[in-house]
Amino acid sequence: MASVYIPVQNSEEEVRVVLDQLPRDASDIIDILKAEQASLDLWLIIAREYFKQGKVEQFRQILEEGSSPDIDEYYADVRYERIAILNALGAYYCYRGKIETIQSKREEHFIQATKYYNKASRIDMHEPSNWIGKGQLLLAKGELEQASSAFRIVLDGDRDNVPALLGQACVEFNRGHYSESLSLYRRVLQIFPDCPGPVRLGIGQCQYKMGHFERARKAFDRVLQLDPENVEALVALAVLDLQTNEASRTRKGMEKMRQAFEIYPYCPMALNYLANHFFFTGQHYVVEQLTETALAVTNHGPTKSHSYYNLARSYHSKGDYAAALRYYNQSVKEIKDKASDFVFPYFGLGQVQLKLGDINGAMSNFEKVLEVYPDNCDTLKVLGHVYAQLNETEKAQEVLKKATKIDPHDAQAFLDLGELLIMSDTATALDAFKTARSLLKKSDQEVLVEVLNNIGVIHFEREELEVALEAFKEALGNGVWLRFLDVKSKTTAADAGASILQYKDVQLFNRLEADGVEVELPWNKVTPLFNLARLLEQLHNTGTAGIFYRLILFKYPGYIDAYLRLAAIAKSRNNLQLSIELVNEALKLNNKCPNALSMLGELELKNDDWVKAKETLRAASEATDGMKDSYATLALGNWNYFAALRNEKRNPKLESTHLEKAHQLYTKVLLQHKSNIYAANGAGIVLAEKGNFDVAKDLFTQVQEGASGSSFVQMPDVWINLAHVYFAQGNNALAIKMYQNCLRNYYHNTDCQIFLYLARTYYEAEEWQDCKKTLLRAIHLAPSNYTLRFDAGVAMQKFSASTLQKEKREANEVRSAIVELENAVRVFSQLSAGANLQIHGFDEKKINTHVDYCKHLLEAAKVHLEVAEREEQQKLQKEEAERQMSLAEKARRKAEEQRKFQLEKRKKEDENKRARQQDEDFERVKEQWKSSTSSASKRKDRLDIIDDDEAGGHSGRRRKKGGGKRRKKDKSSKFSQYEEMEEGEAEMDGHEGDDGHGSYYREEKDPAPQDLLAAAGLEDSDAEDEEAAAAAIAARRRRALSESEEDEPVEEEGKQQQAGSPESGEMQVSDGEGAAASQQHHHQDNDVDAGLDDED
Amino acid sequence: MKLAGIKSVEGAHDESVWAATWVPATSSRPALLLTGSLDETVKLWKSDDLNLAGTNTGHCLGVVSVAAHPSGIIAASASLDSFVRVFDVNTNATIATLEAPPSEVWQMQFHPKGTKLAVAGGGSASIKVWDTSTWKLTSTLTIPRPEVPKPSDKNTSKKFVLSVAWSPDGRTIACGSMDGTISVFDVAREKFMHHLEGHSMPVRSLVYSPVDPRVLFSASDDAHIHMYDAEGKSLVSSMSGHASWVLSVDASPDGNAIATGSSDRTVRLWDLKMRAALQTMSNHTDQVWAVTFCPPGGTGVRGGRLASVCDDKSISLYDYS
C-alpha cells in the first residue's frame, strides 16, 4: 500500500499518509501540509493522487492552495516545484476546456489555464515542462502553429523530450502531415519504449490515415494489450473492422464498439458508429438517443456532422422531411460547407430538397457531391433527373450518358436516359430503352410495362409499326386482349366487329365474362392498350382498335381519349352522327375538355353547322386556359377563313373582315409557337388570298420542309397551296406535277377535288385531252358530282372550238372535234334532262345555251368537215394526178437513161465484137435489151411511188397553207353572229370587273381559296371560250371570274371550299390528338419513375 | 387458301382500266376476261397467258362497267356517256344499245339465269331492269325518298346508285348508294324491301355469296368490307384492313373467301371463317378498280382464277387455291 510520509517539522517524526485513504476533505491534508511546511513535491504527489482517484475538486483545492501567494513567498526559492504545481493546474484547466462543450465556459477554462502557465513561466521562462503545457493548451485551442513553436522551443533544448515530441506529433497529425507525425511517435517509442498506450494510438492513427490498415491494426491491438479498456483503440479497431465490409468482421467491429460504449458511454465516435448500425437495423429510437448523446459530448465538427447526419437520415427514412432537412443542414454546417470532408449529408440534403420541391437547392447539393465523387452513378442519375426537371436537357443528357458509360449495367440509368430523350432524340432514347430492357431481362428482373410501352411508342413514331406492335404486345402480356388480337381465335371475337357501331354495347364483354373468361384490365396496362389500339388504327385494323377502346371504356368509363378515338374512327367513316354522339359522351365526363370541344367544333363544321361550330371552338379555346393550346385558336382562324370565302352574296367588306380576323388568329398562334406549321400554312393562305404570292410561296415552302421532317405530320394541304401559287403565277407544269404528287402520296389518287384543280390547270395550259381525261377520272371517283360532268362538257366544247379555229387542220382533226362536240352535246343534254329531276343545281337555260352552242358548232363543223373532206378529196385527186404525171415523167426519164446506158454499153460491145460476129451479136444484144428494159421499168415504178409520196406531202402542206386564209374568212363570216354576242357579254363583264375590281382582281389571282378558284374557273370556262378569240389573257380571267360569280352554282362552291382546307384541322385532331395522348403517357411514366428515384 | 400471281400485263390498255369480269366458258372456247378502260375500249383476254383476244371500240368517254351473260355468249359494256352496248362476245356484233335518259349507267349485272340485266341508275336513284330477249326496259326499281326531305339535303344525290348485285336465286337485287346505304328489292314484285345500314360513304361494289343467298358483301369508301344478312337486315361482320377506299369485292366460287381491290393499291384475300385478311397482293401501283373470280366450268383453265385491273393500265391474273 503506497503511502507518503510528511516529515513533522523540527522532529524526526513523520506523518504517514496512506494514499488510497486520503480524507474526503482535502483541507485536512492542506492543514497538515501547511503546518508541517511540507516540501512542495509532497503537495503535488497528494494532489495527483486525488486526481487519479477522480477527486478532481480536492486536486484543484490542494494545488490552488499550493500556488497561493503565501506559498509563493514562503517557497520563493523552490522554483521547480512551484512551476510543476502551476503547470498541473494549467493542464487541469486545459483539460477542462477541452472536454467542455459550452463555448463560453470553455473559453473561461482556457483563460484560467493560460493564466497558470503564464505564472509558471514568470518563475522560469526556460522551464521545458511549462512550454509543453503551453503547447498543449494551444493545441487544445486549435492554434497549431503556435503550439508547434512552443514544442519546438522545448525540443531545441532537448531533442528527446518525450512530451514535446508527442505534442509535436499531435500538431503534425492535425496538420495532416501523417508521415512526420508517425516518425515523431516512433522517436518517442525509441526513447521511451515503455511509454503508455496512447503513443501507440497515435502511431495507429497515423498508419490508418496513411492507409496502412494492417499496421494500424497492430498498433491498436498493442494499445489494447497494454490497456484493455482503451476506448479509442477499441473504437479504432472497430472502425477498421467495419470498413472491411465483411459480415463477420462487421459483427466483430460492432462488438468492439459495444465494448467501448460500455467502458465509456460518451465516446462520440462509438456513438456515431453505433447509431449508424442501428439505423440500418431500423431502430430509429436508439439512433436518436445515441446521436443526441454524441452531440452532447463532443464539439468536434466532423464528428458532430456525422451525428447530425445520422439523425437526419433517421428522420429522412421515417419520412419526416422537415426534420431531416434541418439536421442535414446542421450536418453540413458542422463541416463548414467543406463537402470534401464529409459528402453524405449533401446527398441526403439534395434528396430531401428534391422531395420538398426545392429543385435548385437539390441541384447545387448534388453538384457538390459530384465534385467529390465525379463518377458516382447515383448522383449522376439523380442530377440527370433534376436537370430534366429544370429543363436543362443538355446537362441532363450529359450526366446520364456519363452514368451509363460508367456503369453500363445500370438499367435504371438507361431508363432515365431514355425517358429524357424520348421527346428530343428518339433514336438514342430507343437505344437506351432497349439496353435497359435487355439488362433487366439478363438479370431476370421484370421489365416494367412503361419501358416496353415507351419502346413501342418510339417505334410507332418512327413508323416501324410491326416492331411497335410486338413491343406493345410484350408490354400487355397475357390478358383478354389476346382473344381479339389472335387471328385464330377470332371466331368468337369476329362478331364483335359487327357491333362496332353500337359503341356502348358491352354485351361482347359480358358474354365473355359469362363464358368464364376474365375480362380484366390492370391500371398499368391501360396506356399500352390504348397505344396498341392507336397502332392498330394506323395499320387500318380499326375493328380491333375499336374493340380495345371499348374495353378500356368498359373498365374505365372515364377515359376520355378512348371516346375521342372512337369518335375519330366514326368520323373517318363519315358517320358524323355517331361521332358527335361519342364526343358528347366524352364531354359529359368533362365539359371543358379542349380536345373534345375542338373535335366537336370540327364535326359541326363538317355538318355545315357554322354558328354552332364557332361557339364550340370558342369554348374550346377558352377551355385551353389562356390559349396555351393553339389548336382551338387555329380552328377559329380556319373558321374565319372559310367564312370569308363562303359568303354567298360575296360581300367584299365582310370577306375582308373575316380574312383579317383569320390572319390575326394565325399570327397569334405563330407568336406562341413559332414552329406551328398549321398556323404558318394558314398565314400563307391569307397572304396568297391578298395576292402576296412570293411571300406565300416562301411560307408554303418552309411549311412543306417542316412537314417532311416528321412522319406524324402529314400536310397535303401545303402541297396543294404551293401548287395553287404556281398555278396563279402561270407555272402550270410545276403546278400539275405538285397536284399529281399530292394526289398520289396523300390521297391514294382518290380526291376528286384535286383532280378538279389538276383539270383546271390543264385547261389553262390548253392541254384539252389531258383536261378531259382528268375530269373523266374525277367523275369516275365522284359519280354524283354533276359539276364535273358540266366541266367535262365545257372542256370538250372548248377543245372542239379551238380545233376548228386553228388555221391549219386536217380532216381527222375536224372529225375528232366533231366527235367531242357530239359528246359535249350528249353530256349537256343529259344534264339538261336531269335538271327536271333536280338532281343537280344547274340552271336548265344555261345548259341549253351550251347545248345550242355545241349543236351550232357541230353544224358549222360539219360544213368544215365537208370542206375539209372535199379539200382532202381534191388534194388526194390532185396528188393522184400529180403522182400519175410524175410517174409517167419519171418512167420516161428512166427509160431514157436506160436507153443511153444501153447505147453506150452496146457501143462498147459493138467495138469488141463488131469485128467478129457482128450480125449474130446484134441480134442477141437486142434480145438482152428487151428483157432488161422491162425489169428496169418495174424498179422505176417503185421508186416513183416513194418520190411521189414525198412530193405529195409537200404539196399538200403547201396547199393547206394557202387554204387556211380562205377558211378563216369563212369562219369569220359564219361566226360573226356569235362573236357579237360574246363581245356583248364581254363588255358587260368588263363593267362589272371595273365596278368591283378590288375584290375581283384579288379573287382572280388568288390560288388559295382552295377549291373555289379552280371550280369557278372551270365552270366559267364556257364564258372564257366564248370570248377566247378576242380577249387578252388577263382581262379574260378577270371577266371569267366576275361572270362565274353570277351564274355558277354557288352552293357547290361553298361545299367545295369546306372540303379543301378542313383537312388540315382534321389531320391535326386525329393525329395531333393521338400524339397528345401518347405524350401524356410519357409524362405518366415519368412520374412513376420519379417516385422510384427518391427511394435511393 | 392462297393467291399466287400467274401473269401481269403492263399497259394492257392505253389508259386506266376501270372494269373487269369473266365471260363464262362456252362449248367452243374457255372463259375470257373482259376489261373496260378510260381509253374507250373493251378488251377480251385469254387465260392463262392473258393474250389479247379482241378489242371492241365504239364507246365514248370511259368504259365504267362490263357484265357477262351467264351463257358466255353475250356481254355488255357501259360508258360514262350512259350508253350500254350489248354485244356478241365471239363476233363483237352489236346486239343492242340501251339508254334510259336521264338515268346514267354505273354497275351492271346479268340475272343468274341470264333473263334480265340490272343496271345501276346513278342520280335517278333507281335500278333499271332490262329484258334480255327483247332488250326492253321491264321495270325501274326506285329507292323511296325520305318522306320529309331535310332542308339541308339540297340535292338528292345522296341516294345516287352506284352498284348492283343479284342474289344467286335471282329473286332479290341489292344496290349500293353514294351515302352508304344499301337497298334491297324484291324483283318479282318490283318492291323495295329494306335498307342495310352501316356504311356512311359510297358503296362501290356488292356481291352475294354464291353459296348462301342471304349473305351479301359490300365494299365501301370507308375502307371497310361489310358482311350482311341481307334478309335479316343485320350486319354480321365488319372487316377492316384496307388503307383507303375499297373499290371492288368478289366472292370466290367455293364461298370460302372474298377478294377485294382498293385505292391503297392492294388486292386482299379474306378468309370468311376467320373473317380476317389472309393475304395482301401489292403488285399494282395504283388504285385497283376491279377484282373478279373466274366462274367454274369450261376447259382450259385449271383451278380457281382471280383477275384484278388497275388504274396503272395493267391487269393481273392469280391462281386461287
Side-chain angles (χ1 to χ4, degrees), chain A residues 767-786:
Chain A
E767 308 262 3
W768 312 117
Q769 283 307 309
D770 282 329
C771 175
K772 177 187 138 191
K773 288 269 162 64
T774 308
L775 283 168
L776 291 180
R777 275 179 221 275
I779 296 170
H780 192 220
L781 287 165
S784 59
N785 187 342
Y786 287 95

Side-chain angles (χ1 to χ4, degrees), chain A residues 413-642:
Chain A
F414 281 106
L415 286 186
D416 289 349
L417 186 61
E419 253 154 40
L420 180 70
L421 292 171
I422 200 161
M423 302 303 272
S424 52
D425 180 359
T426 47
T428 323
L430 185 62
D431 286 344
F433 280 130
K434 279 184 175 164
T435 318
R437 178 173 65 176
S438 59
L439 283 172
L440 288 172
K441 273 187 184 159
K442 235 184 259 169
S443 57
D444 278 337
Q445 274 174 284
E446 200 190 339
V447 184
L448 286 174
V449 173
E450 288 83 359
V451 181
L452 295 167
N453 180 48
N454 284 346
I455 291 177
V457 168
I458 296 175
H459 279 302
F460 192 178
E461 279 177 3
R462 288 162 43 137
E463 287 199 271
E464 294 151 355
L465 301 184
E466 291 302 321
V467 197
L469 185 68
E470 287 312 309
F472 287 137
K473 276 186 188 166
E474 198 184 337
L476 283 166
N478 271 324
V480 68
W481 39 86
L482 287 182
R483 299 190 144 257
F484 304 109
L485 272 180
D486 189 8
V487 172
K488 298 256 160 52
S489 67
K490 215 168 179 183
T491 34
T492 52
D495 299 341
S499 57
I500 188 89
L501 299 166
Q502 288 90 45
Y503 66 99
K504 274 182 183 164
D505 182 16
V506 290
Q507 268 190 15
L508 162 70
F509 306 117
N510 287 335
R511 204 164 51 230
L512 277 174
E513 275 180 338
D515 292 350
V517 180
E518 260 187 65
V519 182
E520 285 302 328
L521 179 59
W523 64 269
N524 62 343
K525 304 254 166 114
V526 177
T527 299
L529 189 63
F530 183 87
N531 287 338
L532 176 62
R534 284 286 296 129
L535 177 66
L536 289 172
E537 270 189 77
Q538 207 70 19
L539 291 167
H540 309 294
N541 190 350
T542 41
T544 318
I547 294 173
F548 287 161
Y549 291 134
R550 280 157 59 209
L551 175 62
I552 292 174
L553 289 175
F554 179 59
K555 286 290 170 189
Y556 301 89
Y559 204 97
I560 287 184
D561 284 341
Y563 276 117
L564 292 183
R565 285 319 305 166
L566 282 175
I569 293 177
K571 188 179 159 206
S572 74
R573 297 189 61 180
N574 203 26
N575 197 338
L576 298 184
Q577 235 24 65
L578 177 63
S579 190
I580 289 175
E581 218 174 296
L582 281 159
V583 174
N584 280 328
E585 205 66 38
L587 285 172
K588 264 187 218 163
L589 294 167
N590 174 7
N591 63 1
K592 289 257 183 289
C593 173
N595 283 349
L597 283 170
S598 301
M599 190 151 178
L600 184 62
E602 211 56 60
L603 284 165
E604 283 165 348
L605 208 55
K606 237 187 163 182
N607 224 8
D608 225 3
D609 222 336
W610 285 72
V611 184
K612 246 188 178 176
K614 191 174 180 181
E615 277 168 23
T616 314
L617 289 174
R618 282 238 172 93
S621 167
E622 276 159 28
T624 55
D625 185 27
M627 306 236 179
K628 268 178 206 152
D629 185 343
S630 45
Y631 179 78
T633 319
L634 209 52
L636 273 175
N638 286 348
W639 189 94
N640 273 295
Y641 172 67
F642 303 145

